[in-house]
Amino acid sequence: MARTICDAFRASILLSAASLVLAPAAQAQRVTDNAAAGAEDAFGTSIGNERVGLYSGNDVRGFSPVTANNIRLEGLYFDRPAAFTDRLVQSNVVRVGLTAQNYLFPAPTGIVDYKIRPAGNDLVVSTMLGLNSWGGGRLEIDTQIPVVKDRLSLVAGVAGFVDELAPGNQSFFGSYALAARWKPGRNIEVIPFWSRIDLYNREAAPLYTPEGAFLPPRIERRKFPGPEWADQRNTVQHYGALTKARLGGGWDFAAGLFRSTSDSATNFATNFTALRPDGTAVRRITSDPPLSLAGTSGELRISKSFTEGPRRHTLHAALRGRERVSRYGGGASVSYARAPVEQLLDAPEPDFRFNPQTDETVRQAIAGIAYDGRWQGVGGLSVGLQHTWYRKRVDRPGAALARTDDEAWLPNVTASIEATKRLAFYGGYTRGLEESGIAPDNAANRTEALPAILTSQVDAGLRWKIPGGMSLVAGVFDVRKPYFAADNANVFRELGDVRHRGVELSATGTLVPRLTVVAGAVLMKPRVTGEAVEQGRVGRRPLGQPSRILTLATQYEVPGLDGVQLTLNVTHRGTRAADTRNLVFLPARTIIDAGFRWRFDLGDNPALLRVTMLNVMNTYDLALVGSGSYQVNAPRQVTMFLTVDF
C-alpha cells in the first residue's frame, strides 16, 4: 500500500511542476537560499534544506540543544516536542561560543534559533521539485501574499514527500503552514502562525544489537527485511503568535505564546537482538498504543536601552514558562525465531495486547533579569540571572505517583574585548537546568522520559577578521552534565557525570577569488566519571562521542560559466565508543558529497538547479541508537533540486 501511494505521488509531482511553469514572474524568494554563502561561522547554519557547519540542533559540543529544550523562535523561548516544517521556518542558526555573546540568557551547549519565513509587498510563488536516484521525490510550494501594503502579508506553504531511507524502508508525508506578518503600527509587528506535518506509512527502521562485544556483520543497505505492516503514523502541529514592539524612549517589548503537539496513532520498533557474526538474529517487534506529547510555552520580555556616549546599556526582564503533558509506554512485543537478518518477514500482524500507559506532566517557570553593555571599539559585558521552578509528576501503572520538585539559580556572564578592529577576545560562564530526553528504543525502559538535570559550561576564545575576506574563530570549552546510559539491567538512567572539554575552530569567507569556504574542527576529550566508572561498569569514554570532528564546505564559481558553482562537502568523525563499557568502538569515517549549483533564468523567472552526489565514496558506517545498538548509514545517492521563483 505504501509503495502504491509513493508511485502515485511521484507522478503528481511531475504534473504539478509542469503546470507551475506557466505562472507569472516575480521577485526571487527561495532561489537565493544558500547555507554556505549565508554562514557567518562554521558552527551550524541551515537555510531551507541546506545545512553546513560542525553542529546541528542534535549535536553541539557532543550534546543536543533540542533534547535540552534550548529552542528559540525569533529569539523567544519555545518548548518544541517535535521538528518544525520548512514551510514555516526559513532557517536556523546554532548560537554557541562567540555567537552566543550577545544572546539573552545563553544556555550550556548552545541555543538553536529559528526564523519564520519572511513576507513583504511582492506576490511570490516559489516551487522546489526534488528527485533522487532511489526513486524518491518531493514537491514544495511556498508563497508570500501581500494583503495591505506595508501592513499585512501572508506566508503559506504546502509540500509532499516520498522518501526511501538507508535500510530501504519508505515513508510518505506532507507538510503545511500558514503565517501572517501584521504591522498595526510603525514599530509593532505581530506574527500568528500554524503548521502541520503528517507522516504516513513509515516502516520501522531495523536496529541491530549484537549478543556480544562486537560490531554487527556488514548489513546490506537499501534492502528492507519487513514487515510492511509495522508502519508509523504521526501528526505534528505548531501554532501560536508572537509580537515585538519598540515603544519609544528606549523601551522594547516582546512576547510569544505557543502550542505544540505530537500524536502517534501507530508506532513500532524493530530490533534484531542477539545478533551473531554469522548474520542471524532474533527479531523482536514492539508496537505501542497511541502516544501523545503536547507542550504549551511562552515568554514575556521587556527591555530598556539608553546610551552614554559610545556606550550602550540595556536592561532586560523576562518571564518564561511551559507545560508539557505526555503519555507513553504500554507497548507489547513479539519475537520470531532466529534467522538471517536479511530474510524477509511476511508474517501477518499479530494481535498486540497493550499494557497501561504512563502519564507525565512537567511544569516549569523561569524569571530572569539581565544587563547587556556595549562599548564601541572596546568590548562588551553581559550578565544574567534566572530563577527556575521545575515540577514533574509521573503516574506509572501499578506504582505510586512520582513527584519531582526542584528550583535553581542559573547565572550567566559573558565578556568580549576588541583588541583591534580585526581581533576580539571573548569568554563566558553559563549554568542551566535542562531536559535529558527519553530512553532509546533498545532500552528496557524505552520511551520513558528522563529527569531534568543541572548543567554548566565555561568557554573562551578569539575572533580574527583576516584581511582578504576570511573570518577565524578559535575557542576552548568545558561542558559538564550528568551522564545517562543503560545499566546492567538495560535500564537507561543516570550513571555518573560527563565532561566534554575541547577546542573548536571555525574559518569562513572567501579564501581566494570565486572560492567560498566554511571549515570547522572540534578536538575534544570527552570523559565520564563517577562510581560506576570506578567499579568498571561504565567506561571513561561517553557513548558515541568522537574525539575529533572536521567539516569542510566549499563553493567555487566556474570562470566562463555564468551562475555555475562547483560544491564539495567533507565531514570526518573520529572513533566512537559503541557501548557504555567501552568494549566496542566504531571506526573513524569520512563522508564526501560533491555536485554543482546553477543559477539561471527559466523564461522570466529566476531558477536554481542543485545536483549532488551524496556519499561519493559509498562509505559504510553505523549510527549508534543506544549502547550496543546500531542502524546503517545511507549509501551513495544522487539528488536533484530545481527551485523556481514565480
Side-chain angles (χ1 to χ4, degrees):
M1 179 62 181
R3 284 169 171 76
T4 300
I5 294 175
C6 292
D7 293 339
F9 180 69
R10 292 187 189 106
S12 70
I13 283 179
L14 297 176
L15 291 173
S16 301
S19 66
L20 288 168
V21 174
L22 302 177
Q27 178 181 339
Q29 185 185 27
R30 291 199 62 186
V31 165
T32 56
D33 288 354
N34 189 326
E40 298 180 359
D41 53 53
F43 297 133
T45 299
S46 295
I47 300 178
N49 65 346
E50 300 182 54
R51 188 183 73 82
V52 296
L54 289 165
Y55 302 137
S56 68
N58 294 314
D59 184 7
V60 174
R61 295 173 174 173
F63 300 105
S64 170
V66 170
T67 299
N69 197 37
N70 291 330
I71 299 294
R72 304 291 182 267
L73 182 64
E74 298 283 346
L76 292 169
Y77 180 80
F78 196 117
D79 182 13
R80 190 200 71 170
F84 291 121
T85 169
D86 289 344
R87 312 282 66 72
L88 177 66
V89 300
Q90 180 190 46
S91 62
N92 70 75
V93 177
V94 174
R95 303 289 186 184
V96 67
L98 181 65
T99 61
Q101 286 287 299
N102 299 331
Y103 209 84
L104 183 64
F105 302 123
T109 68
I111 288 172
V112 184
D113 192 6
Y114 291 81
K115 299 296 183 183
I116 294 176
R117 288 193 173 279
N121 291 323
D122 297 304
L123 174 63
V124 181
V125 178
S126 292
T127 65
M128 176 184 285
L129 172 67
L131 299 171
N132 64 57
S133 58
W134 295 359
R138 66 174 62 188
L139 179 63
E140 304 177 18
I141 305 174
D142 296 294
T143 63
Q144 65 174 41
I145 306 168
V147 179
V148 180
K149 185 177 181 180
D150 296 328
R151 289 283 186 177
L152 178 62
S153 57
L154 303 178
V155 176
V158 60
F161 304 78
V162 175
D163 273 343
E164 179 184 322
L165 305 180
N169 56 323
Q170 290 191 333
S171 67
F172 170 76
F173 62 98
S175 64
Y176 333 89
L178 177 64
R181 287 183 180 266
W182 176 41
K183 296 182 178 179
R186 182 178 178 183
N187 296 316
I188 303 174
E189 183 177 57
V190 181
I191 306 176
F193 65 88
W194 167 86
S195 69
R196 179 181 172 112
I197 302 174
D198 282 300
L199 173 64
Y200 304 92
N201 300 316
R202 171 172 285 184
E203 297 148 333
L207 311 180
Y208 300 93
T209 305
E211 67 176 355
F214 57 87
L215 293 174
R218 190 179 181 95
I219 306 296
E220 184 177 354
R221 296 171 291 185
R222 295 192 62 206
K223 185 175 181 180
F224 183 62
E228 292 197 11
W229 47 257
D231 287 335
Q232 296 173 325
R233 172 71 172 96
N234 180 252
T235 300
V236 173
Q237 293 193 87
H238 302 294
Y239 52 93
L242 61 92
T243 183
K244 296 182 179 181
R246 292 187 175 180
L247 305 178
W251 289 94
D252 292 302
F253 173 82
L257 181 62
F258 314 116
R259 174 74 172 174
S260 298
T261 62
S262 177
D263 297 293
S264 296
T266 59
N267 188 63
F268 290 87
T270 298
N271 194 350
F272 287 97
T273 63
L275 175 61
R276 294 174 179 171
D278 64 3
T280 64
V282 175
R283 185 191 313 231
R284 185 179 70 237
I285 299 178
T286 302
S287 177
D288 294 308
L291 308 177
S292 64
L293 184 59
T296 302
S297 58
E299 177 175 356
L300 178 66
R301 181 198 312 161
I302 191 164
S303 306
K304 168 64 176 175
S305 299
F306 55 94
T307 58
E308 180 192 5
R311 295 174 290 276
R312 180 178 177 84
H313 309 276
T314 305
L315 298 173
H316 304 276
L319 293 175
R320 296 170 172 175
R322 69 185 181 104
E323 179 185 66
R324 180 177 287 199
V325 179
S326 56
R327 173 169 290 181
Y328 55 85
S333 62
V334 60
S335 296
Y336 296 85
R338 177 174 294 277
V341 296
E342 70 273 8
Q343 181 174 306
L344 179 65
L345 177 65
D346 57 2
E349 181 177 359
D351 182 17
F352 289 101
R353 300 298 179 92
F354 297 128
N355 300 304
Q357 293 183 281
T358 296
D359 292 305
E360 178 179 291
T361 301
V362 173
R363 293 188 176 94
Q364 186 174 9
I366 306 168
I369 56 173
Y371 164 79
D372 181 72
R374 301 291 140 187
W375 190 343
Q376 186 177 352
V378 176
L381 173 67
S382 295
V383 180
L385 181 63
Q386 300 177 86
H387 190 76
T388 181
W389 296 265
Y390 181 88
R391 171 180 170 178
K392 175 182 283 190
R393 300 292 183 264
V394 182
D395 186 5
R396 293 187 177 90
L401 181 68
R403 300 170 178 264
T404 300
D405 293 279
D406 201 359
E407 58 180 286
W409 290 98
L410 307 175
N412 68 270
V413 57
T414 61
S416 61
I417 298 174
E418 297 180 27
T420 69
K421 290 184 178 181
R422 294 186 176 273
L423 180 63
F425 297 90
Y426 70 92
Y429 168 79
T430 305
R431 194 166 184 246
L433 181 72
E434 302 179 345
E435 291 289 353
S436 49
I438 62 174
D441 275 342
N442 68 313
N445 57 333
R446 61 181 293 272
T447 75
E448 180 180 329
L450 304 174
I453 55 176
L454 282 171
T455 63
S456 66
Q457 175 181 278
V458 177
D459 60 3
L462 62 86
R463 179 185 63 196
W464 178 30
K465 294 182 179 180
I466 304 172
M470 292 292 292
S471 179
L472 174 69
V473 178
V476 295
F477 60 86
D478 186 308
V479 184
R480 304 187 183 201
K481 296 189 177 187
Y483 180 63
F484 285 80
D487 62 15
N488 293 337
N490 198 31
V491 175
F492 198 81
R493 63 181 182 87
E494 184 178 340
L495 293 180
D497 296 298
V498 61
R499 182 189 69 197
H500 288 189
R501 177 182 291 174
V503 177
E504 56 191 8
L505 304 170
S506 162
T508 57
T510 304
L511 183 61
V512 295
R514 298 180 178 271
L515 179 62
T516 299
V517 173
V518 179
V522 179
L523 307 176
M524 188 165 57
K525 186 178 181 181
R527 288 293 182 267
V528 180
T529 59
E531 183 180 347
V533 175
E534 302 303 324
Q535 294 175 351
R537 296 187 290 113
V538 174
R540 294 193 178 276
R541 285 280 298 271
L543 189 67
Q545 298 304 321
S547 57
R548 65 181 180 275
I549 304 174
L550 310 175
T551 183
L552 172 68
T554 65
Q555 294 183 358
Y556 177 68
E557 299 177 11
V558 181
L561 295 178
D562 188 35
V564 176
Q565 295 177 313
L566 301 181
T567 62
L568 177 69
N569 294 339
V570 181
T571 302
H572 171 84
R573 290 183 181 271
T575 59
R576 293 149 284 163
D579 70 318
T580 56
R581 296 184 62 191
N582 294 180
L583 301 177
V584 183
F585 282 81
L586 286 169
R589 60 92 165 145
T590 301
I591 302 293
I592 301 174
D593 306 330
F596 69 88
R597 303 168 59 94
W598 178 27
R599 282 281 305 274
F600 64 100
D601 290 330
L602 187 61
D604 294 329
N605 303 297
L608 170 67
L609 176 65
R610 291 185 289 130
V611 178
T612 306
M613 179 178 287
L614 303 174
N615 196 357
V616 172
M617 305 304 293
N618 204 30
T619 301
Y620 180 85
D621 192 29
L622 294 169
L624 274 174
V625 180
S627 178
S629 288
Y630 312 86
Q631 287 181 331
V632 294
N633 76 322
R636 183 186 297 117
Q637 179 184 186
V638 177
T639 63
M640 182 278 290
F641 296 99
L642 175 63
T643 305
V644 185
D645 291 337
F646 299 99

